[in-house]
Amino acid sequence: MPGTGLFLTFEGIDGAGKSSHMAALADAFRAAGRAVVLTREPGGTPLAEKIRQLVLHDPMDALTEALLMFAARREHLTQIIVPALARGAVVLCDRFTDSTFAYQGGGRGFDWESLLILERLAQTLSGPQADLIHQTLLQPDLTLWFELPPAVAAQRLAGARVPDKFEAQPLAFFEAVHAGYARRAQQDPARFARIDANQPMAAVGQAVRAAVQARGWL
Ligand code: TYD
C-alpha cells in the first residue's frame, strides 16, 4: 500500500548503544510481516557515503559541515527513504536531522535558526514525491532517543576503536550534544520517545519495543 510506510530514527550521543537495538527492532517488524529498510546517516546512498567519509574525517568550517550533512540527507531522502515509505516499508535510520541539531548545533555551536532553514530546504518534498507520502516537510514518525549521561558514554567508548572526528571530542562537547538533543525533544515532544540507555541491554530493548507498541505499530 503506498503511503503507509513508517519512518523511525535512532538518536543519541556516541556510545549510547543504539545500533544493536535497531537490528532487533528490524527483526520484530519483519516477524510482523513488514518490509524493513535499515539505513544510516550520514550515508545511505553511494554519494552520501562518500560525503560521510569527508565529514567524519576531514576538518572543516562549521557551515561547510552542516551543508554537507544536509546534502547527504537530501540525497538519502529522495533516493532511498521516500521511495521506501511510498512502498509501505518500515525505514529504520541510524541518525537523522536531530543529529545535526545536536552535533553541529549543540556540539559545535552552529546557529540553530540557520539549521531550521536548512532542514526546511533539504526535507521539503515536491511533486509526486510529496503526494506519495502526504507530507511536505518530511520528519520521522518516531525518534528513539537513547539517553545516556555523557560521562558514561565516554567510558563505554574509551579504547573501543579508532575514534572518528566526533568521537575524539572531549566530554564538554558531548555535554553540549546532549543539550542539543534535549532542546530538539522539547520542541517536538510527540515525535520523541526517550529511552533510558543507562540500564542493561535487555531492558533497553524492552523500552524500545514498548515505545513502538505504544503507537500501535507492532
Ligand atoms: P555513528 O552514527 O555513531 O556511526 P559509527 O557507529 O559507525 O561511528 O557516527 C556518525 C558520527 O557523525 C557521529 O559522531 C555523529 C556525527 N553526525 C553529525 O555530527 N551530524 C549529523 O547530522 C549526523 C547524521 C551525524
mmCIF file of all heavy atoms in Angstrom, residues 75-123:
data_model
loop_
_atom_site.group_PDB
_atom_site.id
_atom_site.type_symbol
_atom_site.label_atom_id
_atom_site.label_comp_id
_atom_site.label_asym_id
_atom_site.label_seq_id
_atom_site.Cartn_x
_atom_site.Cartn_y
_atom_site.Cartn_z
ATOM 1 N N GLU A 75 20.003 13.652 -0.558
ATOM 2 C CA GLU A 75 20.242 12.542 -1.468
ATOM 3 C C GLU A 75 19.614 11.252 -0.931
ATOM 4 O O GLU A 75 18.923 10.515 -1.633
ATOM 5 C CB GLU A 75 21.769 12.398 -1.601
ATOM 6 C CG GLU A 75 22.232 11.499 -2.687
ATOM 7 C CD GLU A 75 21.865 11.994 -4.076
ATOM 8 O OE1 GLU A 75 21.498 13.170 -4.249
ATOM 9 O OE2 GLU A 75 21.936 11.145 -4.982
ATOM 10 N N HIS A 76 19.839 11.009 0.349
ATOM 11 C CA HIS A 76 19.325 9.812 1.012
ATOM 12 C C HIS A 76 17.796 9.799 1.029
ATOM 13 O O HIS A 76 17.156 8.783 0.759
ATOM 14 C CB HIS A 76 19.887 9.821 2.450
ATOM 15 C CG HIS A 76 19.632 8.587 3.233
ATOM 16 N ND1 HIS A 76 19.523 8.612 4.597
ATOM 17 C CD2 HIS A 76 19.479 7.293 2.868
ATOM 18 C CE1 HIS A 76 19.304 7.371 5.034
ATOM 19 N NE2 HIS A 76 19.279 6.551 4.005
ATOM 20 N N LEU A 77 17.210 10.971 1.318
ATOM 21 C CA LEU A 77 15.747 11.065 1.366
ATOM 22 C C LEU A 77 15.126 10.767 0.012
ATOM 23 O O LEU A 77 14.201 9.963 -0.093
ATOM 24 C CB LEU A 77 15.328 12.494 1.758
ATOM 25 C CG LEU A 77 15.050 12.800 3.209
ATOM 26 C CD1 LEU A 77 14.668 14.272 3.347
ATOM 27 C CD2 LEU A 77 13.919 11.919 3.731
ATOM 28 N N THR A 78 15.650 11.443 -1.021
ATOM 29 C CA THR A 78 14.985 11.326 -2.325
ATOM 30 C C THR A 78 15.247 9.966 -2.980
ATOM 31 O O THR A 78 14.381 9.440 -3.662
ATOM 32 C CB THR A 78 15.408 12.458 -3.284
ATOM 33 O OG1 THR A 78 16.824 12.419 -3.432
ATOM 34 C CG2 THR A 78 14.995 13.819 -2.759
ATOM 35 N N GLN A 79 16.453 9.404 -2.735
ATOM 36 C CA GLN A 79 16.798 8.146 -3.405
ATOM 37 C C GLN A 79 16.329 6.906 -2.652
ATOM 38 O O GLN A 79 16.005 5.894 -3.271
ATOM 39 C CB GLN A 79 18.326 8.032 -3.599
ATOM 40 C CG GLN A 79 18.951 9.158 -4.391
ATOM 41 C CD GLN A 79 18.344 9.286 -5.766
ATOM 42 O OE1 GLN A 79 18.210 8.309 -6.489
ATOM 43 N NE2 GLN A 79 17.949 10.498 -6.123
ATOM 44 N N ILE A 80 16.334 6.962 -1.336
ATOM 45 C CA ILE A 80 16.081 5.748 -0.541
ATOM 46 C C ILE A 80 14.844 5.861 0.356
ATOM 47 O O ILE A 80 13.927 5.047 0.288
ATOM 48 C CB ILE A 80 17.313 5.412 0.356
ATOM 49 C CG1 ILE A 80 18.571 5.239 -0.500
ATOM 50 C CG2 ILE A 80 17.029 4.183 1.236
ATOM 51 C CD1 ILE A 80 18.590 4.011 -1.387
ATOM 52 N N ILE A 81 14.805 6.894 1.204
ATOM 53 C CA ILE A 81 13.781 6.923 2.261
ATOM 54 C C ILE A 81 12.378 7.125 1.691
ATOM 55 O O ILE A 81 11.458 6.350 1.974
ATOM 56 C CB ILE A 81 14.115 8.012 3.317
ATOM 57 C CG1 ILE A 81 15.440 7.661 4.010
ATOM 58 C CG2 ILE A 81 12.990 8.145 4.340
ATOM 59 C CD1 ILE A 81 15.948 8.715 4.996
ATOM 60 N N VAL A 82 12.213 8.152 0.863
ATOM 61 C CA VAL A 82 10.871 8.434 0.344
ATOM 62 C C VAL A 82 10.343 7.286 -0.527
ATOM 63 O O VAL A 82 9.201 6.844 -0.341
ATOM 64 C CB VAL A 82 10.842 9.802 -0.386
ATOM 65 C CG1 VAL A 82 9.549 9.982 -1.154
ATOM 66 C CG2 VAL A 82 11.021 10.922 0.637
ATOM 67 N N PRO A 83 11.151 6.737 -1.438
ATOM 68 C CA PRO A 83 10.646 5.596 -2.208
ATOM 69 C C PRO A 83 10.261 4.408 -1.317
ATOM 70 O O PRO A 83 9.246 3.743 -1.567
ATOM 71 C CB PRO A 83 11.815 5.230 -3.136
ATOM 72 C CG PRO A 83 12.579 6.511 -3.296
ATOM 73 C CD PRO A 83 12.455 7.210 -1.963
ATOM 74 N N ALA A 84 11.044 4.160 -0.262
ATOM 75 C CA ALA A 84 10.723 3.039 0.640
ATOM 76 C C ALA A 84 9.404 3.299 1.375
ATOM 77 O O ALA A 84 8.561 2.403 1.503
ATOM 78 C CB ALA A 84 11.857 2.824 1.637
ATOM 79 N N LEU A 85 9.210 4.531 1.852
ATOM 80 C CA LEU A 85 7.955 4.863 2.547
ATOM 81 C C LEU A 85 6.774 4.742 1.588
ATOM 82 O O LEU A 85 5.699 4.267 1.958
ATOM 83 C CB LEU A 85 8.026 6.277 3.142
ATOM 84 C CG LEU A 85 9.053 6.481 4.254
ATOM 85 C CD1 LEU A 85 9.111 7.956 4.665
ATOM 86 C CD2 LEU A 85 8.742 5.592 5.458
ATOM 87 N N ALA A 86 6.987 5.147 0.356
ATOM 88 C CA ALA A 86 5.915 5.066 -0.639
ATOM 89 C C ALA A 86 5.526 3.615 -0.934
ATOM 90 O O ALA A 86 4.375 3.329 -1.249
ATOM 91 C CB ALA A 86 6.352 5.781 -1.922
ATOM 92 N N ARG A 87 6.486 2.703 -0.786
ATOM 93 C CA ARG A 87 6.191 1.266 -0.978
ATOM 94 C C ARG A 87 5.541 0.661 0.259
ATOM 95 O O ARG A 87 5.176 -0.500 0.260
ATOM 96 C CB ARG A 87 7.504 0.481 -1.178
ATOM 97 C CG ARG A 87 8.237 0.695 -2.468
ATOM 98 C CD ARG A 87 9.277 -0.420 -2.687
ATOM 99 N NE ARG A 87 10.246 -0.576 -1.602
ATOM 100 C CZ ARG A 87 11.414 0.079 -1.528
ATOM 101 N NH1 ARG A 87 11.731 0.959 -2.462
ATOM 102 N NH2 ARG A 87 12.238 -0.143 -0.532
ATOM 103 N N GLY A 88 5.492 1.414 1.354
ATOM 104 C CA GLY A 88 4.891 0.899 2.589
ATOM 105 C C GLY A 88 5.895 0.264 3.528
ATOM 106 O O GLY A 88 5.518 -0.376 4.510
ATOM 107 N N ALA A 89 7.184 0.435 3.268
ATOM 108 C CA ALA A 89 8.200 -0.195 4.116
ATOM 109 C C ALA A 89 8.369 0.547 5.447
ATOM 110 O O ALA A 89 7.965 1.711 5.586
ATOM 111 C CB ALA A 89 9.535 -0.228 3.381
ATOM 112 N N VAL A 90 8.983 -0.148 6.399
ATOM 113 C CA VAL A 90 9.402 0.470 7.653
ATOM 114 C C VAL A 90 10.861 0.862 7.461
ATOM 115 O O VAL A 90 11.705 0.019 7.188
ATOM 116 C CB VAL A 90 9.273 -0.519 8.830
ATOM 117 C CG1 VAL A 90 9.794 0.126 10.113
ATOM 118 C CG2 VAL A 90 7.827 -0.964 8.997
ATOM 119 N N VAL A 91 11.156 2.139 7.579
ATOM 120 C CA VAL A 91 12.529 2.628 7.432
ATOM 121 C C VAL A 91 13.101 2.885 8.822
ATOM 122 O O VAL A 91 12.551 3.686 9.583
ATOM 123 C CB VAL A 91 12.572 3.913 6.585
ATOM 124 C CG1 VAL A 91 13.998 4.459 6.506
ATOM 125 C CG2 VAL A 91 12.019 3.648 5.183
ATOM 126 N N LEU A 92 14.184 2.182 9.147
ATOM 127 C CA LEU A 92 14.873 2.385 10.423
ATOM 128 C C LEU A 92 16.195 3.058 10.109
ATOM 129 O O LEU A 92 17.047 2.477 9.438
ATOM 130 C CB LEU A 92 15.114 1.051 11.132
ATOM 131 C CG LEU A 92 13.875 0.201 11.421
ATOM 132 C CD1 LEU A 92 14.274 -1.087 12.162
ATOM 133 C CD2 LEU A 92 12.844 0.970 12.242
ATOM 134 N N CYS A 93 16.351 4.274 10.567
ATOM 135 C CA CYS A 93 17.522 5.063 10.176
ATOM 136 C C CYS A 93 18.373 5.410 11.402
ATOM 137 O O CYS A 93 17.884 6.010 12.368
ATOM 138 C CB CYS A 93 17.058 6.328 9.459
ATOM 139 S SG CYS A 93 18.392 7.234 8.689
ATOM 140 N N ASP A 94 19.640 5.007 11.326
ATOM 141 C CA ASP A 94 20.616 5.293 12.381
ATOM 142 C C ASP A 94 21.067 6.743 12.207
ATOM 143 O O ASP A 94 21.850 7.034 11.311
ATOM 144 C CB ASP A 94 21.795 4.317 12.223
ATOM 145 C CG ASP A 94 22.731 4.327 13.408
ATOM 146 O OD1 ASP A 94 22.626 5.231 14.258
ATOM 147 O OD2 ASP A 94 23.588 3.424 13.474
ATOM 148 N N ARG A 95 20.534 7.616 13.006
ATOM 149 C CA ARG A 95 20.748 9.073 12.971
ATOM 150 C C ARG A 95 20.004 9.733 11.813
ATOM 151 O O ARG A 95 19.851 9.184 10.736
ATOM 152 C CB ARG A 95 22.226 9.457 12.879
ATOM 153 C CG ARG A 95 23.057 8.938 14.025
ATOM 154 C CD ARG A 95 24.447 9.574 14.029
ATOM 155 N NE ARG A 95 25.240 9.102 15.148
ATOM 156 C CZ ARG A 95 25.110 9.543 16.392
ATOM 157 N NH1 ARG A 95 24.223 10.472 16.667
ATOM 158 N NH2 ARG A 95 25.852 9.062 17.360
ATOM 159 N N PHE A 96 19.558 10.976 12.077
ATOM 160 C CA PHE A 96 18.905 11.797 11.053
ATOM 161 C C PHE A 96 19.085 13.249 11.501
ATOM 162 O O PHE A 96 20.068 13.580 12.173
ATOM 163 C CB PHE A 96 17.430 11.361 10.916
ATOM 164 C CG PHE A 96 16.708 11.900 9.711
ATOM 165 C CD1 PHE A 96 17.116 11.580 8.422
ATOM 166 C CD2 PHE A 96 15.612 12.751 9.870
ATOM 167 C CE1 PHE A 96 16.457 12.093 7.319
ATOM 168 C CE2 PHE A 96 14.947 13.259 8.773
ATOM 169 C CZ PHE A 96 15.361 12.935 7.495
ATOM 170 N N THR A 97 18.165 14.123 11.157
ATOM 171 C CA THR A 97 18.372 15.561 11.369
ATOM 172 C C THR A 97 18.612 15.967 12.820
ATOM 173 O O THR A 97 19.309 16.951 13.077
ATOM 174 C CB THR A 97 17.168 16.335 10.799
ATOM 175 O OG1 THR A 97 16.998 15.891 9.464
ATOM 176 C CG2 THR A 97 17.393 17.828 10.807
ATOM 177 N N ASP A 98 18.039 15.216 13.771
ATOM 178 C CA ASP A 98 18.291 15.579 15.170
ATOM 179 C C ASP A 98 19.782 15.502 15.496
ATOM 180 O O ASP A 98 20.262 16.245 16.351
ATOM 181 C CB ASP A 98 17.481 14.674 16.103
ATOM 182 C CG ASP A 98 15.988 14.823 15.852
ATOM 183 O OD1 ASP A 98 15.511 15.979 15.834
ATOM 184 O OD2 ASP A 98 15.316 13.801 15.638
ATOM 185 N N SER A 99 20.520 14.621 14.792
ATOM 186 C CA SER A 99 21.977 14.570 14.988
ATOM 187 C C SER A 99 22.623 15.880 14.549
ATOM 188 O O SER A 99 23.580 16.345 15.176
ATOM 189 C CB SER A 99 22.605 13.427 14.182
ATOM 190 O OG SER A 99 22.454 12.200 14.836
ATOM 191 N N THR A 100 22.122 16.467 13.482
ATOM 192 C CA THR A 100 22.705 17.727 13.008
ATOM 193 C C THR A 100 22.452 18.834 14.026
ATOM 194 O O THR A 100 23.342 19.648 14.320
ATOM 195 C CB THR A 100 22.123 18.121 11.640
ATOM 196 O OG1 THR A 100 22.134 16.972 10.793
ATOM 197 C CG2 THR A 100 22.940 19.232 11.002
ATOM 198 N N PHE A 101 21.231 18.866 14.580
ATOM 199 C CA PHE A 101 20.943 19.871 15.607
ATOM 200 C C PHE A 101 21.794 19.615 16.859
ATOM 201 O O PHE A 101 22.289 20.557 17.487
ATOM 202 C CB PHE A 101 19.449 19.887 15.937
ATOM 203 C CG PHE A 101 18.638 20.645 14.923
ATOM 204 C CD1 PHE A 101 18.144 20.016 13.789
ATOM 205 C CD2 PHE A 101 18.399 22.003 15.079
ATOM 206 C CE1 PHE A 101 17.423 20.720 12.833
ATOM 207 C CE2 PHE A 101 17.679 22.716 14.131
ATOM 208 C CZ PHE A 101 17.194 22.070 13.005
ATOM 209 N N ALA A 102 21.965 18.333 17.224
ATOM 210 C CA ALA A 102 22.717 18.016 18.440
ATOM 211 C C ALA A 102 24.219 18.258 18.245
ATOM 212 O O ALA A 102 24.856 18.893 19.089
ATOM 213 C CB ALA A 102 22.453 16.564 18.842
ATOM 214 N N TYR A 103 24.789 17.761 17.124
ATOM 215 C CA TYR A 103 26.249 17.826 16.940
ATOM 216 C C TYR A 103 26.698 19.172 16.366
ATOM 217 O O TYR A 103 27.605 19.800 16.895
ATOM 218 C CB TYR A 103 26.736 16.676 16.045
ATOM 219 C CG TYR A 103 26.816 15.363 16.772
ATOM 220 C CD1 TYR A 103 25.667 14.621 17.036
ATOM 221 C CD2 TYR A 103 28.026 14.856 17.225
ATOM 222 C CE1 TYR A 103 25.726 13.417 17.717
ATOM 223 C CE2 TYR A 103 28.095 13.637 17.909
ATOM 224 C CZ TYR A 103 26.943 12.923 18.141
ATOM 225 O OH TYR A 103 27.008 11.740 18.833
ATOM 226 N N GLN A 104 26.095 19.577 15.239
ATOM 227 C CA GLN A 104 26.531 20.848 14.644
ATOM 228 C C GLN A 104 25.942 22.017 15.446
ATOM 229 O O GLN A 104 26.615 23.026 15.654
ATOM 230 C CB GLN A 104 26.113 20.922 13.160
ATOM 231 C CG GLN A 104 27.024 20.150 12.214
ATOM 232 C CD GLN A 104 27.003 18.644 12.431
ATOM 233 O OE1 GLN A 104 25.936 18.037 12.451
ATOM 234 N NE2 GLN A 104 28.162 18.031 12.622
ATOM 235 N N GLY A 105 24.668 21.893 15.879
ATOM 236 C CA GLY A 105 24.041 22.972 16.655
ATOM 237 C C GLY A 105 24.556 22.990 18.093
ATOM 238 O O GLY A 105 25.169 23.964 18.533
ATOM 239 N N GLY A 106 24.300 21.903 18.842
ATOM 240 C CA GLY A 106 24.726 21.852 20.238
ATOM 241 C C GLY A 106 26.242 21.769 20.366
ATOM 242 O O GLY A 106 26.881 22.637 20.955
ATOM 243 N N GLY A 107 26.826 20.733 19.784
ATOM 244 C CA GLY A 107 28.253 20.465 19.957
ATOM 245 C C GLY A 107 29.145 21.563 19.401
ATOM 246 O O GLY A 107 30.019 22.089 20.090
ATOM 247 N N ARG A 108 28.917 21.920 18.149
ATOM 248 C CA ARG A 108 29.778 22.911 17.506
ATOM 249 C C ARG A 108 29.300 24.339 17.719
ATOM 250 O O ARG A 108 29.985 25.285 17.340
ATOM 251 C CB ARG A 108 29.827 22.659 15.992
ATOM 252 C CG ARG A 108 30.539 21.395 15.582
ATOM 253 C CD ARG A 108 31.711 21.722 14.688
ATOM 254 N NE ARG A 108 32.326 20.525 14.148
ATOM 255 C CZ ARG A 108 33.286 19.847 14.767
ATOM 256 N NH1 ARG A 108 33.699 20.222 15.961
ATOM 257 N NH2 ARG A 108 33.802 18.783 14.205
ATOM 258 N N GLY A 109 28.076 24.490 18.227
ATOM 259 C CA GLY A 109 27.560 25.826 18.479
ATOM 260 C C GLY A 109 27.107 26.553 17.230
ATOM 261 O O GLY A 109 26.985 27.780 17.208
ATOM 262 N N PHE A 110 26.819 25.800 16.166
ATOM 263 C CA PHE A 110 26.350 26.426 14.931
ATOM 264 C C PHE A 110 24.917 26.937 15.121
ATOM 265 O O PHE A 110 24.116 26.313 15.807
ATOM 266 C CB PHE A 110 26.429 25.411 13.773
ATOM 267 C CG PHE A 110 26.119 26.015 12.445
ATOM 268 C CD1 PHE A 110 27.036 26.849 11.821
ATOM 269 C CD2 PHE A 110 24.896 25.791 11.840
ATOM 270 C CE1 PHE A 110 26.741 27.437 10.606
ATOM 271 C CE2 PHE A 110 24.601 26.378 10.622
ATOM 272 C CZ PHE A 110 25.525 27.199 10.008
ATOM 273 N N ASP A 111 24.626 28.067 14.487
ATOM 274 C CA ASP A 111 23.349 28.762 14.681
ATOM 275 C C ASP A 111 22.112 27.884 14.429
ATOM 276 O O ASP A 111 21.920 27.335 13.343
ATOM 277 C CB ASP A 111 23.314 29.974 13.735
ATOM 278 C CG ASP A 111 22.027 30.754 13.878
ATOM 279 O OD1 ASP A 111 21.676 31.121 15.014
ATOM 280 O OD2 ASP A 111 21.354 30.967 12.841
ATOM 281 N N TRP A 112 21.281 27.786 15.457
ATOM 282 C CA TRP A 112 20.093 26.910 15.448
ATOM 283 C C TRP A 112 19.104 27.327 14.363
ATOM 284 O O TRP A 112 18.528 26.491 13.657
ATOM 285 C CB TRP A 112 19.450 26.968 16.842
ATOM 286 C CG TRP A 112 18.492 25.867 17.169
ATOM 287 C CD1 TRP A 112 17.137 25.865 16.974
ATOM 288 C CD2 TRP A 112 18.812 24.610 17.789
ATOM 289 N NE1 TRP A 112 16.593 24.688 17.420
ATOM 290 C CE2 TRP A 112 17.598 23.906 17.938
ATOM 291 C CE3 TRP A 112 20.003 24.017 18.243
ATOM 292 C CZ2 TRP A 112 17.530 22.631 18.510
ATOM 293 C CZ3 TRP A 112 19.926 22.750 18.823
ATOM 294 C CH2 TRP A 112 18.706 22.070 18.943
ATOM 295 N N GLU A 113 18.862 28.635 14.246
ATOM 296 C CA GLU A 113 17.887 29.125 13.252
ATOM 297 C C GLU A 113 18.334 28.786 11.837
ATOM 298 O O GLU A 113 17.507 28.469 10.973
ATOM 299 C CB GLU A 113 17.708 30.646 13.382
ATOM 300 C CG GLU A 113 17.142 31.104 14.730
ATOM 301 C CD GLU A 113 15.807 30.447 15.066
ATOM 302 O OE1 GLU A 113 14.957 30.351 14.158
ATOM 303 O OE2 GLU A 113 15.622 30.021 16.222
ATOM 304 N N SER A 114 19.634 28.858 11.591
ATOM 305 C CA SER A 114 20.138 28.504 10.256
ATOM 306 C C SER A 114 19.896 27.028 9.975
ATOM 307 O O SER A 114 19.562 26.644 8.846
ATOM 308 C CB SER A 114 21.637 28.794 10.141
ATOM 309 O OG SER A 114 21.876 30.157 10.402
ATOM 310 N N LEU A 115 20.049 26.208 10.996
ATOM 311 C CA LEU A 115 19.788 24.773 10.803
ATOM 312 C C LEU A 115 18.315 24.537 10.475
ATOM 313 O O LEU A 115 17.987 23.671 9.663
ATOM 314 C CB LEU A 115 20.195 23.973 12.047
ATOM 315 C CG LEU A 115 21.698 23.906 12.327
ATOM 316 C CD1 LEU A 115 21.968 23.111 13.602
ATOM 317 C CD2 LEU A 115 22.457 23.282 11.155
ATOM 318 N N LEU A 116 17.431 25.312 11.110
ATOM 319 C CA LEU A 116 15.997 25.158 10.813
ATOM 320 C C LEU A 116 15.715 25.487 9.349
ATOM 321 O O LEU A 116 14.894 24.844 8.692
ATOM 322 C CB LEU A 116 15.161 26.058 11.740
ATOM 323 C CG LEU A 116 15.063 25.587 13.196
ATOM 324 C CD1 LEU A 116 14.471 26.685 14.081
ATOM 325 C CD2 LEU A 116 14.233 24.314 13.312
ATOM 326 N N ILE A 117 16.419 26.491 8.823
ATOM 327 C CA ILE A 117 16.246 26.858 7.410
ATOM 328 C C ILE A 117 16.755 25.724 6.511
ATOM 329 O O ILE A 117 16.089 25.324 5.550
ATOM 330 C CB ILE A 117 16.981 28.177 7.103
ATOM 331 C CG1 ILE A 117 16.300 29.328 7.858
ATOM 332 C CG2 ILE A 117 17.007 28.449 5.595
ATOM 333 C CD1 ILE A 117 17.091 30.635 7.835
ATOM 334 N N LEU A 118 17.921 25.204 6.845
ATOM 335 C CA LEU A 118 18.476 24.106 6.036
ATOM 336 C C LEU A 118 17.578 22.866 6.096
ATOM 337 O O LEU A 118 17.383 22.175 5.100
ATOM 338 C CB LEU A 118 19.893 23.760 6.515
ATOM 339 C CG LEU A 118 20.940 24.852 6.298
ATOM 340 C CD1 LEU A 118 22.288 24.420 6.875
ATOM 341 C CD2 LEU A 118 21.072 25.188 4.819
ATOM 342 N N GLU A 119 17.034 22.617 7.281
ATOM 343 C CA GLU A 119 16.131 21.469 7.437
ATOM 344 C C GLU A 119 14.935 21.609 6.494
ATOM 345 O O GLU A 119 14.546 20.668 5.797
ATOM 346 C CB GLU A 119 15.648 21.389 8.891
ATOM 347 C CG GLU A 119 14.605 20.313 9.140
ATOM 348 C CD GLU A 119 14.063 20.336 10.564
ATOM 349 O OE1 GLU A 119 13.825 21.439 11.111
ATOM 350 O OE2 GLU A 119 13.873 19.257 11.134
ATOM 351 N N ARG A 120 14.373 22.820 6.478
ATOM 352 C CA ARG A 120 13.201 23.047 5.631
ATOM 353 C C ARG A 120 13.562 22.866 4.150
ATOM 354 O O ARG A 120 12.819 22.250 3.388
ATOM 355 C CB ARG A 120 12.644 24.457 5.902
ATOM 356 C CG ARG A 120 11.371 24.778 5.184
ATOM 357 C CD ARG A 120 10.561 25.836 5.904
ATOM 358 N NE ARG A 120 9.979 25.350 7.152
ATOM 359 C CZ ARG A 120 8.878 24.590 7.225
ATOM 360 N NH1 ARG A 120 8.232 24.237 6.145
ATOM 361 N NH2 ARG A 120 8.421 24.171 8.395
ATOM 362 N N LEU A 121 14.722 23.384 3.774
ATOM 363 C CA LEU A 121 15.162 23.238 2.376
ATOM 364 C C LEU A 121 15.364 21.776 1.993
ATOM 365 O O LEU A 121 14.901 21.311 0.957
ATOM 366 C CB LEU A 121 16.512 23.945 2.185
ATOM 367 C CG LEU A 121 16.527 25.371 1.695
ATOM 368 C CD1 LEU A 121 17.967 25.885 1.714
ATOM 369 C CD2 LEU A 121 15.969 25.436 0.275
ATOM 370 N N ALA A 122 16.094 21.069 2.834
ATOM 371 C CA ALA A 122 16.510 19.705 2.476
ATOM 372 C C ALA A 122 15.365 18.703 2.581
ATOM 373 O O ALA A 122 15.350 17.700 1.866
ATOM 374 C CB ALA A 122 17.660 19.266 3.373
ATOM 375 N N GLN A 123 14.408 18.960 3.465
ATOM 376 C CA GLN A 123 13.389 17.950 3.737
ATOM 377 C C GLN A 123 12.029 18.308 3.167
ATOM 378 O O GLN A 123 11.026 17.696 3.518
ATOM 379 C CB GLN A 123 13.295 17.693 5.251
ATOM 380 C CG GLN A 123 14.529 16.967 5.768
ATOM 381 C CD GLN A 123 14.680 16.971 7.269
ATOM 382 O OE1 GLN A 123 15.750 17.302 7.782
ATOM 383 N NE2 GLN A 123 13.633 16.624 7.982
#
